[in-house]
Amino acid sequence: MKKIVILISGRGSNMQALLEAKLPCRIAAVISNRVDAQGLDIAKAHGIATAVVEHRDYADRENFDAALAETIDIYQPDFVVLAGFMRILTTKFVKRYHGKLINIHPSLLPAFGGLNTHARALHDGVKIHGCTVHFVASDLDHGPIIIQAAVPVLRDDTEQTLAARVLREEHRIYAQAIRWLCEDKVVLNEQGQTILLIHRQSGFTLVSPGLE
Ligand code: GAR
């Protein structure tokens, strides 16, 4: 059975969704860069090993990433799953886990990389927004896409209502992506492209606002 390690920085709702998804893998540990991350308590309540590598204890990103990698490698994971892990990772770290490092981002990448994605989506007036699970590449919030979910932006949406609609889908697609990875149904090929060894296609078109 494959093993995963989940990295968090805060609330940990995506991590919780993964813990509760009955995935075909062993969740070996949850690691946080903040000792006060709420997700650590959720992980402990699920009986999962936790560890903290405080980024503030390290002089620079290189040293932090080296310490983080050392902690991750104790568990020898097949995949390192970023679930609201809010640190920019060095190229060295990303290369070390090539093909094994997975992230979820709250936008339809390549649109709205970075922070405050929901506020920026509302500001720009997009009518469709969403979330993306992808292999991590050196560029922030970039890399071969595994799965995306799109949601409508509604007329009266606030940042909070839009975030909640996207988050519900994050929890669904992250579990699906990790399930596929653990079942060898998605791989990264030598050209750096995602290969999905499943035949399902979406026949569904989201038109937002709807046609009359
Ligand atoms: C999630 O919305 C996740 O997509 C986002 O942080 C939130 C963490 O929530 N990640 C990023 O913005 C990474 N660039 P959670 O701790 O409840 O899972």
Side-chain angles (χ1 to χ4, degrees):
M1 187 178 261
K2 293 219 168 27
K3 274 193 287 184
I4 70 171
V5 162
I6 304 177
L7 305 191
I8 62 168
S9 296
R11 179 177 60 181
S13 74
N14 275 289
M15 174 212 70
Q16 183 171 5
L18 296 177
L19 298 188
E20 293 172 358
K22 299 192 169 64
L23 295 170
C25 63
R26 194 158 82 74
I27 299 175
V30 169
I31 303 173
S32 173
N33 64 308
R34 299 179 58 115
V35 74
D36 59 353
Q38 295 152 261
L40 287 171
D41 293 332
I42 301 171
K44 284 178 196 154
H46 281 75
I48 307 289
T50 61
V52 175
V53 184
E54 270 277 5
H55 65 273
R56 282 174 298 200
D57 292 346
Y58 297 88
D60 51 32
R61 287 190 195 284
E62 283 68 31
N63 282 296
F64 168 68
D65 281 7
L68 182 61
E70 212 171 280
T71 306
I72 291 169
D73 291 350
I74 293 170
Y75 301 97
Q76 294 290 307
D78 295 282
F79 298 106
V80 178
V81 176
L82 308 179
F85 186 70
M86 306 306 276
R87 300 296 302 168
I88 294 172
L89 296 162
T90 56
T91 302
K92 189 172 173 197
F93 183 96
V94 171
K95 283 199 174 135
R96 180 185 186 117
Y97 297 105
H98 178 75
K100 296 178 161 197
L101 192 56
I102 316 298
N103 184 42
I104 187 154
H105 183 75
S107 75
L108 288 173
L109 291 174
F112 307 120
L115 298 174
N116 304 318
T117 56
H118 309 306
R120 288 158 59 210
L122 287 172
H123 177 266
D124 286 1
V126 299
K127 302 294 177 239
I128 296 175
H129 186 45
C131 47
T132 303
V133 178
H134 63 100
F135 289 101
V136 175
S138 296
D139 289 355
L140 181 67
D141 295 326
H142 271 82
I145 292 172
I146 297 171
I147 186 169
Q148 295 183 299
V151 301
V153 179
L154 304 181
R155 196 177 38 228
D156 297 326
D157 264 335
T158 62
E159 203 180 324
Q160 288 69 31
T161 58
L162 183 55
R165 190 173 310 120
V166 172
L167 190 66
R168 264 196 306 278
E169 301 308 319
E170 291 189 41
H171 296 165
R172 283 157 29 108
I173 65 168
Y174 218 2
Q176 176 67 86
I178 302 304
R179 183 177 299 279
W180 282 337
L181 284 159
C182 291
E183 291 173 342
D184 293 319
K185 287 184 177 159
V186 52
V187 289
L188 194 61
N189 73 9
E190 290 191 354
Q191 288 74 45
Q193 298 155 328
T194 301
I195 306 295
L196 271 180
L197 304 168
I198 49 161
H199 301 292
R200 196 176 311 129
Q201 298 276 357
S202 173
F204 176 69
T205 304
L206 174 60
V207 180
S208 172
L211 302 172
E212 291 201 323

